[in-house]
Amino acid sequence: MTNWIDACSSDDIDAEDVIRFDHGGRTFAIYRNDANAYFCTDGLCTHEDVHLADGLVVENTIECPKHASIFDFTTGEVETPPACENLHTYPTVVRDGRVMVQI
Amino acid sequence: MAGIVILGAGECGVRAAFTLRELGYTRPVTLIDAEPALPYERPPLSKNLACEAREIRHADAYLSAEIELRQGTQVTCIDLGGKTLRLVDGGVIDFDQLLVATGARPRLFPGMENCATLRTDRDARRILSRFTPGARVGIIGGGFIGLELAATARRAGAEVTVVEAAPRILGRGVPPQIAALVQARHTDEGVKILTDTGVVRADETTIALADGTELGFDIVVAGVGAVPNVELAQEAGLTCDNGIAVDAAFRTSDPAVFAAGDCCSFEWRGNRVRLESWKAAQDQGSHAAAAMLGSGEVFSKVPWFWSDQFDMTLQVAGLFDLAGAMHTRDTGDDTCIVFQCDPAGAISAAAGIGPGNAAAREIKILEKLIERQTQADPSILADPSVNLKRLLKA
Ligand SMILES: Cc1cc2nc3c(=O)[nH]c(=O)nc-3n(C[C@H](O)[C@H](O)[C@H](O)COP(=O)(O)OP(=O)(O)OC[C@H]3O[C@@H](n4cnc5c(N)ncnc54)[C@H](O)[C@@H]3O)c2cc1C
Ligand code: FES
């Protein structure tokens, strides 16, 4: 079963930035790119259990704070190892200034 | 057969092999290593008591990429004229091009030959099993490996003494302000750190100090640096200079032979350097692979290193001139960032420390500014209210 969850206000995330979002015992990362589009992936790096929200967003990529794996957060794909597994992504939509995530 | 042969399946060799495939190379790729285990990550070995070596890639990944992995295979000779490697079992492997990625091994000073050292998963199992509550652990060398082992042993409840000959710990490459924070934390955690303390002799259970004192331990580990594995390259006649000397494409003095990772020395911003860094080994492996296929791209990746001790992470980007001026960006929240600019005014090195990944994002931004050789006024960078990311966009 998937549900649309109200994750945060669209202003809670700066342009080209990321926040952590915890829900139902799971952790996610929600991104806003510099074109003000919103994306959501698993919150933890696939290399080690490290919160990606502490990493650096550049354009459509997130660089893990720990060992610098780079993922494309629009697709979840690894761009640069050490991580070898892609991130899961989740659909997002902005409604009335709220970022909704389908998880 | 022939194709590309990679000697050494550490971080560098493995990354190079996969990069060759990603770039579309279809001829044979052979990856050879003396170690019997599937190639694994070394950094966790000093950081966790639960010594489960993590594989760099799963076994399937080598199969599906058609990378022939020859584990447990010691190479004894590189024959440049015949373009072959000779193996300890008498076997011979031909190559069209060779990447030497033989890494480094722990250094030991005379009189310390029987101390434990840490490079492999087997070393780790031997050492970590001795880190038990109340065990007396002696560590020679206040560098990264020594201090990470000290933190791991302390967390296991051992009584830990670190003996460092220099006036301070982390004297190679880390600014004194950051080293002082690391030292304070170790001291708070109950690790005894003896600086300015020379060791004349040591074995499995004793450290003899220059002043005549003998300290007794249940285990003694030496972490006094690493020496590059250059012997095969040297005997083959490749030029070596604190590592196998390579050019900007990681090519050695023989045009068919490349070298990268901990075993090589290369030119970085006017100085010949040799790094011992996990990410540098990967970056260089990937760059060398591309160069072997003819890419003329210039290597510009900034040296970057991290270390975990207790709940702190330390990251260093760029290479510090420890005699030069340092600036501090006072970020509060238990984090501290120190940086340096070169004589031309470009930011050249930065180090940060903090709990978990608290300092990571700023160090990443500074790393990018270093890569671009961004000119910046130190007083602006030092101001914690200045958003560093804006500088990146500028
Ligand atoms: C305990 C420990 C902790 C570390 N922690 C960190 C850290 O926190 N951060 C960081 O940035 N770096 C860290 N490092 C350093 C990092 O692991 C190295 O820089 C990196 O492994 C270098 O990769 P490499 O492929 O160049 O060499 P290596 O990993 O040394 O691999 C070289 C391989 O070549 C093989 N080989 C050599 N000679 C032969 C031969 N004649 N025949 C066959 N095979 C051969 C060896 O068996 C070895 O597997 C750590 C290292 C250790 C040991
Ligand atoms: S935890 Fe993300 S790269 Fe290692």
Side-chain angles (χ1 to χ4, degrees), chain A residues 45-50 52 64-69 71 81-83, chain B residues 54 278:
Chain A
C45 185
T46 60
H47 180 236
E48 281 180 19
D49 288 345
V50 165
L52 290 169
C64 174
K66 190 83 212 180
H67 313 118
S69 283
F71 301 89
Chain B
R54 196 185 20 243
W278 194 65

Side-chain angles (χ1 to χ4, degrees), chain B residues 8 11-12 33-34 42 47 75 102-103 119 262 277-278 305-306:
Chain B
E11 290 294 340
C12 177
D33 204 290
R42 299 186 197 281
K47 297 173 178 67
V75 172
T102 44
R119 186 80 190 178
D262 282 15
S277 146
W278 194 65
F305 186 93
W306 94 97

